[in-house]
């Protein structure tokens, strides 16, 4: 679970929750990550950093540093199976490093993860993107769009889906044999 804070000018990621060995764990970021500053306009660029470090009882310490760079790099019209929208597109590059320290071994290390690229299409009057696609190493991690017909329930695009062309200049096509709720 990811925890966000929203005010009139920003959306911030303030923490996350997970289950570890059957125990729920919530982690508050030590340095709050600024996701977006509003308003978003074509060619806007911004960056932010986030960081957390948490103790895992009986094991050691886990943390992550995050560098987020985004650019509003396009605008136009997109169509999903449920509607057509006038949008701006935001491309975000996430650089993340995991920090692991094992108490018993008195050893730790920092591990850089491959960059995650997130494309989000925002339409006026929607608080969330109407379409979002995330990739890592050229492989789609997740994709979803807003389904207005069922009261803003999201439809997921299967990771086995194909998006083309890449890079996209006019239209993006999603080809999938399945859609998941």
């Amino acid at each position: 679970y990811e925890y966000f804070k929203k005010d009139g000018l920003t959306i911030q990621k303030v923490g996350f929750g997970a289950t570890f060995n059957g125990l729920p764990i919530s982690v508050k970021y030590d340095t709050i990550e600024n996701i977006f500053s509003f308003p978003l306009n074509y060619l806007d660029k911004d960056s932010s950093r986030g960081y957390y470090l948490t103790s895992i009882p009986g094991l050691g310490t886990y943390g992550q540093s995050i560098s987020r760079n985004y650019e509003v790099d396009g605008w136009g019209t997109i169509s999903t199976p449920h509607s057509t929208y006038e949008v701006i597109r935001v491309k975000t590059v996430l650089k993340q490093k995991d920090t692991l320290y094992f108490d018993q071994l008195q050893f730790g290390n920092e591990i850089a993860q491959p960059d995650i690229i997130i494309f989000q299409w925002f339409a006026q009057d929607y608080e969330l993107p109407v379409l979002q696609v995330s990739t890592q190493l050229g492989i789609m991690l997740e994709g979803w769009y807003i389904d207005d017909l069922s009261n803003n329930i999201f439809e997921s695009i299967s990771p086995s889906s194909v998006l083309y062309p890449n890079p996209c200049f006019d239209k993006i096509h999603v080809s999938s044999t399945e859609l998941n709720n």
Side-chain angles (χ1 to χ4, degrees), residues 80-132:
T80 70
H82 298 288
S83 193
T84 299
Y85 307 93
E86 293 297 320
V87 295
I88 59 171
R89 185 178 88 167
V90 179
K91 177 184 177 183
T92 301
V93 177
L94 288 180
K95 296 182 180 292
Q96 301 175 97
K97 288 184 183 176
D98 293 331
T99 300
L100 298 168
Y101 183 83
F102 299 98
D103 291 339
Q104 285 185 329
L105 302 174
Q106 294 186 348
F107 173 78
N109 202 4
E110 194 172 77
I111 304 162
Q113 295 183 20
D115 292 354
I116 296 175
I117 311 286
I118 304 167
F119 293 99
Q120 297 169 302
W121 289 263
F122 288 92
Q124 190 170 347
D125 299 328
Y126 286 83
E127 292 188 6
L128 297 169
V130 294
L131 174 65
Q132 179 169 313

Side-chain angles (χ1 to χ4, degrees), residues 7-171:
D7 62 28
L9 299 176
T10 62
I11 294 177
Q12 298 174 324
K13 186 173 177 184
V14 296
F16 75 94
T19 302
F20 182 76
N21 285 338
L23 298 172
I25 298 172
S26 289
V27 176
K28 181 181 177 186
Y29 278 24
D30 299 318
T31 303
I32 303 299
E33 182 183 4
N34 193 48
I35 306 296
F36 294 118
S37 296
F38 295 106
L40 290 172
N41 295 297
Y42 179 60
L43 296 181
D44 282 355
K45 293 181 181 183
D46 202 357
S47 62
S48 68
R49 298 194 183 283
Y51 181 79
Y52 62 86
L53 190 63
T54 189
S55 177
I56 302 172
L59 186 60
T61 307
Y62 173 73
Q64 190 174 70
S65 63
I66 301 133
S67 171
R68 176 182 297 271
N69 296 296
Y70 76 80
E71 176 183 4
V72 181
D73 67 348
W75 77 93
T77 303
I78 63 165
S79 294
T80 70
H82 298 288
S83 193
T84 299
Y85 307 93
E86 293 297 320
V87 295
I88 59 171
R89 185 178 88 167
V90 179
K91 177 184 177 183
T92 301
V93 177
L94 288 180
K95 296 182 180 292
Q96 301 175 97
K97 288 184 183 176
D98 293 331
T99 300
L100 298 168
Y101 183 83
F102 299 98
D103 291 339
Q104 285 185 329
L105 302 174
Q106 294 186 348
F107 173 78
N109 202 4
E110 194 172 77
I111 304 162
Q113 295 183 20
D115 292 354
I116 296 175
I117 311 286
I118 304 167
F119 293 99
Q120 297 169 302
W121 289 263
F122 288 92
Q124 190 170 347
D125 299 328
Y126 286 83
E127 292 188 6
L128 297 169
V130 294
L131 174 65
Q132 179 169 313
V133 176
S134 302
T135 64
Q136 188 175 40
L137 297 172
I139 299 167
M140 189 167 99
L141 299 175
E142 74 170 352
W144 53 264
Y145 58 89
I146 290 182
D147 174 355
D148 286 336
L149 297 177
S150 58
N151 202 16
N152 288 338
I153 295 173
F154 301 106
E155 294 283 343
S156 294
I157 303 169
S158 163
S160 62
S161 300
V162 177
L163 289 104
Y164 61 92
N166 185 9
C168 175
F169 297 103
D170 184 29
K171 292 182 181 180

